[in-house]
Amino acid sequence: MRFLGNVLATIVGLFVFLMMFFFGIVLIAAIFGGDSEEISVKSESVIELKLENIVNDYAGKYKDPWVTILSDGEKVGLSDIIIAIEAAKTDKDIKGISILNNVSELGMAQSKALRDALEDFKKSGKFVMAYSNSYSQKEYYLNSVANSIYINPVGDFDFKGMSAELMFFKDLQEKSGIKMEVIRHGKYKSAVEPFLDNKMSDDNREQISELLTSVWSSVLDDISKSRKISTAKLNEIANGLLARTPEMAKAQKLVDIIAYEDVYHDAIRKKLKVDKDEDYNKINILDYAQKVATTSKSADSQDKIAVIYAQGEIMGGEGDINTIGEGSMNRSLIEARKDENVKAIVLRIDSPGGSALTSDLIWREIELTKKVKPVVVSMGNYAASGGYYIACNANKIFAEKNTITGSIGVFGIVPNFTPLATKIGIHTEQVKTNDNAAEYSPFVPMDEKFKTVTLEGVEQVYKTFVSHVAAGRKMTVAQVDSIGQGRVWSGEQALKVGLVDKIGGLDDAIKEAATLAKTKSYTMQNFPEYEKDMNDIFKNFPFAKSKESFIKEELGEETFRLMEQFKKVQARKGVQAVMPFEMVIH
């Protein structure tokens, strides 16, 4: 036995030594070899706009430098891409931008911001060209900014307008015995409607219809300007599916040239005066953005504008790149508030909402910060419900036309399995010392007292939410309630009803913050810096593939996304101020 024990100890020791040796090599390589190779741009280069790995505005950074070194996450966010495109306007080595078979997960407001940057880039006299084997509606919206648009001869072209589809579960609940108990305030709070009925309410149909019409109108306006086609004609094309093939799309002037990809590259060579049998110089937008970030000159002034990114569902805790927590958010606000060189703060919000408690904690920190220096909000794809909660007390609020915002409403939802349990022969009884001693149980019917107390909590949160909005937007409570009730608005609609101040992107919000702070020369400092531990690092190593990446690989992207949404619903605790539905626009 002693011999076997010694052998085992030797094997374990050898394994530990090899692991330590491996980690040592990895750390040394990460420190000394990670970014040692300088990114260079050759003369007469074309930027290739590859965006498949860009999801967030902000790529994130971490307090612990080891985490930054070892993290395998993207080092570039959409905000970095837009800054890079701005720099490319005056870069003598960059001659144009190529959008080649672009597929992205960007939302509509993000696509709008990127499209505006490309439109501005064209003013330099440099070209933007686009080619795709097939165009989805969302990708065409971005590509339509190009000087010349190419499509594969056997490609697909999607241009038909926008729609939303909702599923209802009332009958399923009755048949399965699993009932969702709903407590809400807001007639438009349709997140809970699928559990209450088998069809869409008139109120919900009204808000979704008006929202889609507003977003679609902003899309048509941009395409109309770029392609010199009236919005009435574009609607005619969509209604009749008159651009469903490459030939039809060209006939309607939505694309310029039907050709294979080699013809597209030959056209770029011709612009660059490069021979057909020679390669032209290209640089990936991710590489170019990193180069710009590491070589950009600082302003002479010490003044700074802090840009704090709040992206994802509001979940509480520390938060990370994909979720908003009071830990990282409030720490960032305090740091920016106390830094004398930070003259103003821009809060970039891309969130459908979430925890009402966390939203209020962040709101409070913004209220304290606003007393010291200006706070300006820039809304991305969403700033709805809890996302609007943390925006409402800013000095100024900017939104894109197709931002989805508002949703000033509150709800609670808890499952009840009593009908199912009864069906299969499970019976539950409780023993308690006091009337309200027992926690809510999904295995006993919800009593009216619990419902009344919970509704009081929902009403109190709604009352607080509305009062914060009223104070921040200088409205009466009655005015806010009339545009609240859980209703969602596009950015353009929100401007009309007073929920936002101006239509514009992040750059516009930064300029406004500088104006309020009375500074003309400044640099930008991005927040938050997230706190992560070693467990978060190890799961990123190649030999320790995380369970999430394994499941995504096995199930596919779409199924994985549905599973993630289900997990988020399960993780929600307390009263929620969250957008009434998830909208994916293609």
Side-chain angles (χ1 to χ4, degrees), residues 51-52 54-55 103-107 110 138-139 557 561:
L51 302 170
E52 59 268 19
I54 303 297
V55 178
V103 177
S104 77
E105 294 185 38
L106 298 178
Q110 289 175 310
K138 187 183 77 170
E139 297 305 340
E557 189 71 37
R561 195 175 296 140

Side-chain angles (χ1 to χ4, degrees), residues 373-419:
K373 53 192 67 173
V375 177
V376 177
V377 161
S378 167
M379 294 179 171
N381 298 316
Y382 303 96
S385 209
Y388 190 78
Y389 197 122
I390 64 176
C392 68
N393 58 339
N395 297 94
K396 293 285 182 182
I397 300 177
F398 285 73
E400 297 284 9
K401 283 185 178 182
N402 49 16
T403 294
I404 295 174
T405 187
S407 192
I408 301 167
V410 184
F411 71 90
I413 184 168
V414 291
N416 194 286
F417 305 129
T418 305

Side-chain angles (χ1 to χ4, degrees), residues 326-340:
E326 76 277 2
S328 57
M329 287 298 300
N330 288 0
R331 188 171 62 246
S332 300
L333 286 161
I334 292 169
E335 185 175 338
R337 185 169 75 227
K338 291 182 176 181
D339 188 338
E340 293 181 359

Side-chain angles (χ1 to χ4, degrees), residues 148-181:
S148 300
I149 303 175
Y150 287 66
I151 186 171
N152 187 291
V154 292
D156 296 318
F157 195 94
D158 186 26
F159 193 78
K160 59 190 177 187
M162 294 179 176
S163 67
E165 181 179 274
L166 276 71
M167 298 178 72
F168 295 85
F169 312 108
K170 184 181 178 184
D171 283 354
L172 176 65
Q173 293 176 101
E174 292 175 359
K175 290 177 180 178
S176 67
I178 300 173
K179 183 182 179 183
M180 303 305 288
E181 300 282 4

Side-chain angles (χ1 to χ4, degrees), residues 567-581:
K567 283 172 61 181
K568 283 182 181 179
V569 171
Q570 284 186 312
R572 289 172 182 164
K573 299 187 187 316
V575 177
Q576 297 292 304
V578 69
M579 199 177 133
F581 46 79

Side-chain angles (χ1 to χ4, degrees), residues 308-319:
I308 302 176
Y309 291 86
Q311 51 194 29
E313 188 165 339
I314 301 172
M315 303 287 282
E318 168 63 14

